[in-house]
Amino acid sequence: MIEEARCLKLKTLNQELEQLEMEYASMFDEMNAIRGQLNAIRYAHNAVEVYQKGKHPFWERLTKRKDFLAYKANLEVLQNCPQSENELNDRYEIAENKANKLITKNKLVQKIADKKQKIAQVKKATTLEAMDMTPLEVINQAKAAGIPLTWGDGDFQIYMQMHDSENTEEVQAAKNIDTFPPTRPRLHKCMLGRLVTQENHADLENI
């Protein structure tokens, strides 16, 4: 049961971490868009400047058509840009301050660090308590995920706690185990981010 609990918990924690990291990354969307415009303007400006410094006779427009067309395209970028580089720099600074304030307000950096620490703890955990899970939670979640529970020597204490539990559902679950004792195959560890079962004939890889 311990390994199935670990797999279930890590799957949940990794999903939560992914959501936090996506939320953190989204804070920089406006900055990235402005940075893209700035880079396009700077590249076009430098390319136009380099081209104009050279000598380009009229016939070169035919013999070096690719270079001439690139020059024209960069001119269009500069002419069609709705905002100047200075304006974009000002917008970038405003967007950066806004993002930093939101990140601080939502405590995203700390939340991500805490989630990573929790994942590390669960990887090393040897008890359900260390994973903040109860036997009944593991049984219900495993059933919902279609994962057959396995019982090893280290799970005997959990089984006894279920029998002595004040939770009637846990006691009933223990009685069900008594009535239909599970097989005790060799336990495998689950691979992070993916739940696989023996029913699907897939091996669980080491963490």
Side-chain angles (χ1 to χ4, degrees):
M1 175 183 275
I2 288 290
E3 291 307 328
E4 287 80 12
R6 191 193 317 281
C7 190
L8 289 162
K9 191 68 174 182
L10 286 173
K11 180 175 183 290
T12 298
L13 290 172
N14 277 291
Q15 288 175 339
E16 293 171 351
L17 175 61
E18 183 179 0
Q19 288 296 320
L20 286 170
E21 290 178 334
M22 288 175 61
E23 183 180 353
Y24 179 82
S26 70
M27 298 294 177
F28 300 96
D29 286 348
E30 186 177 358
M31 292 170 58
N32 291 335
I34 297 172
R35 187 185 293 116
Q37 294 179 58
L38 280 168
N39 289 339
I41 291 175
R42 289 165 183 167
Y43 176 83
H45 179 78
N46 291 335
V48 166
E49 186 176 333
V50 169
Y51 188 87
Q52 290 178 343
K53 283 182 178 179
K55 294 181 179 180
H56 303 285
F58 180 80
W59 54 263
E60 191 178 88
R61 297 183 182 182
L62 298 176
T63 58
K64 295 185 178 180
R65 186 70 175 170
K66 184 178 179 181
D67 292 346
F68 177 70
L69 291 177
Y71 166 68
K72 295 290 288 184
N74 286 320
L75 277 178
E76 288 183 9
V77 170
L78 296 178
Q79 291 170 357
N80 296 330
C81 182
Q83 293 175 304
S84 68
E85 189 171 342
N86 288 336
E87 289 174 320
L88 287 171
N89 280 324
D90 291 340
R91 280 185 56 202
Y92 185 88
E93 185 176 349
I94 292 172
E96 185 177 28
N97 290 333
K98 178 182 176 182
N100 289 332
K101 286 179 180 179
L102 282 173
I103 290 170
T104 301
K105 179 182 177 181
N106 296 333
K107 300 179 180 180
L108 285 176
V109 173
Q110 186 60 50
K111 287 180 180 178
I112 290 172
D114 291 344
K115 197 67 65 176
K116 288 181 177 180
Q117 184 179 14
K118 183 63 179 178
I119 289 171
Q121 290 174 352
V122 171
K123 287 181 182 180
K124 300 176 182 179
T126 57
T127 66
L128 294 183
E129 289 80 5
M131 301 182 202
D132 294 328
M133 298 186 78
T134 66
L136 190 60
E137 285 176 334
V138 178
I139 291 171
N140 290 336
Q141 290 182 28
K143 183 179 179 180
I147 298 176
L149 291 175
T150 56
W151 295 80
D153 295 335
D155 296 319
F156 180 72
Q157 184 178 0
I158 297 174
Y159 169 76
M160 295 303 296
Q161 288 175 348
M162 291 172 67
H163 265 290
D164 298 334
S165 175
E166 295 181 0
N167 187 314
T168 55
E169 290 186 66
E170 277 194 359
V171 174
Q172 184 58 49
K175 290 181 179 178
N176 290 340
I177 294 170
D178 294 338
T179 306
F180 303 101
T183 56
R184 297 176 64 187
R186 174 176 168 268
L187 285 178
H188 299 273
K189 290 186 176 182
C190 68
M191 186 175 71
L192 297 184
R194 185 178 67 178
L195 293 177
V196 290
T197 71
Q198 293 173 342
E199 294 174 352
N200 292 331
H201 308 291
D203 293 327
L204 298 177
E205 299 179 18
N206 287 334
I207 293 175

